[in-house]
Amino acid sequence: QVRLVESGGGSVQAGGSLRLSCAASERLFSSYSMAWFRQAPGKEREFVARITWGDHRTYYADSVKGRFTISRDGAARNTRYLEMNNLKPEDTARYYCTAGVHDSYRSWGPGTQVTVSS
């Protein structure tokens, strides 16, 4: 089972930016996706963004569309990034990376905390 490790979380003020990384221990199947979810205290985990591994199509939750960008970097083939701009206090959550067949994710990272202060 692929191992995932997130990094890049931290504390910022509203309007600030952070870039999260998710490194996979191995190359994924082209049919797989890598996605970000988040969970705030007392709330259910929610989808944030997804990128398909083979053809790099991207999908976003309405709440982050236009502010977050999920992408790849040619130099790091097994890593995907979540660029988060214009952060809001409601973006505060623990962010988790996952990978696998869409909607049947089995591999999850330990998560990275994002805190946005007003």
Side-chain angles (χ1 to χ4, degrees):
Q1 188 171 348
V2 63
R3 295 184 303 277
L4 303 170
V5 178
E6 305 96 336
S7 61
S11 298
V12 296
Q13 291 190 330
S17 299
L18 285 172
R19 189 193 197 201
L20 305 184
S21 300
C22 178
S25 59
E26 59 193 67
R27 184 178 177 84
L28 304 183
F29 293 114
S30 60
S31 60
Y32 278 22
S33 290
M34 181 175 276
W36 288 93
F37 285 74
R38 66 187 181 187
Q39 188 167 21
K43 295 187 177 181
E44 292 188 355
R45 185 174 60 191
E46 64 174 358
F47 168 75
V48 176
R50 175 170 77 96
I51 185 167
T52 56
W53 199 260
D55 56 5
H56 320 302
R57 287 173 291 155
T58 58
Y59 305 86
Y60 298 94
D62 288 343
S63 59
V64 306
K65 203 170 293 184
R67 299 188 297 121
F68 290 13
T69 303
I70 189 169
S71 66
R72 62 189 289 265
D73 183 323
R77 294 188 175 185
N78 293 344
T79 299
R80 298 297 182 265
Y81 304 90
L82 184 68
E83 185 77 33
M84 307 186 295
N85 297 314
N86 191 22
L87 282 162
K88 304 176 180 180
E90 52 263 42
D91 294 319
T92 295
R94 191 163 186 86
Y95 284 68
Y96 296 91
C97 175
T98 184
V101 175
H102 177 49
D103 275 348
S104 298
Y105 300 113
R106 294 186 176 185
S107 299
W108 292 83
T112 185
Q113 180 66 34
V114 172
T115 302
V116 185
S117 58
S118 58

